[in-house]
Amino acid sequence: MSGSAIRKTLVNNTMVGRHRWIIRWAMFYREDGTTCGRFSFLGRRRGKWWLEGDIFCAAWPMMNNGRTNRYVAFRNADRVKWFRLSGEEMRNDRVLPGNPMRL
């Protein structure tokens, strides 16, 4: 996906998924670059997201010691697949319109 397509998909919408380690989560993406999520093992957490061209970047203080994660994305209908820059597939998330979980 292009950076503009990623932005259009994420802003004011919620992504729900399961991390490969079976951690369930939901994340709402705000236009100002902040996120609010709920994780099955951590409860509610906040983070930040931004784009570097067509690369999606995100950082959450409670994960990965707050280091930046970078991904490329591919969309298929209501799902987005995320890959690390190394090519490793990380997630296959579903897009929910708006903020139905009130994150």
Side-chain angles (χ1 to χ4, degrees):
M1 296 171 66
S2 68
S4 61
I6 294 170
R7 178 175 294 285
K8 184 177 179 181
T9 298
L10 294 182
V11 169
N12 295 321
N13 289 317
T14 301
M15 301 289 285
V16 293
R18 188 182 284 208
H19 196 277
R20 62 185 176 170
W21 298 307
I22 312 183
I23 299 165
R24 293 181 187 190
W25 61 275
M27 185 76 63
F28 178 70
Y29 292 86
R30 293 183 169 88
E31 190 169 3
D32 68 1
T34 60
T35 62
C36 185
R38 187 172 34 228
F39 298 82
S40 61
F41 71 105
L42 288 172
R44 290 176 91 107
R45 296 287 190 247
R46 295 190 182 275
K48 58 184 179 175
W49 72 275
W50 64 97
L51 295 165
E52 293 176 356
D54 295 338
I55 306 297
F56 170 78
C57 305
W60 297 274
M62 83 297 188
M63 294 188 298
N64 207 17
N65 294 320
R67 290 186 304 243
T68 299
N69 296 289
R70 290 178 172 82
Y71 305 98
V72 294
F74 297 90
R75 185 159 186 180
N76 183 5
D78 71 338
R79 299 197 80 82
V80 176
K81 280 192 175 186
W82 301 96
F83 293 82
R84 289 188 191 265
L85 299 184
S86 66
E88 175 186 13
E89 183 176 344
M90 292 302 293
R91 301 189 320 261
N92 184 11
D93 302 332
R94 196 173 75 200
V95 181
L96 301 179
N99 190 4
M101 297 172 182
R102 299 181 187 262
L103 299 168

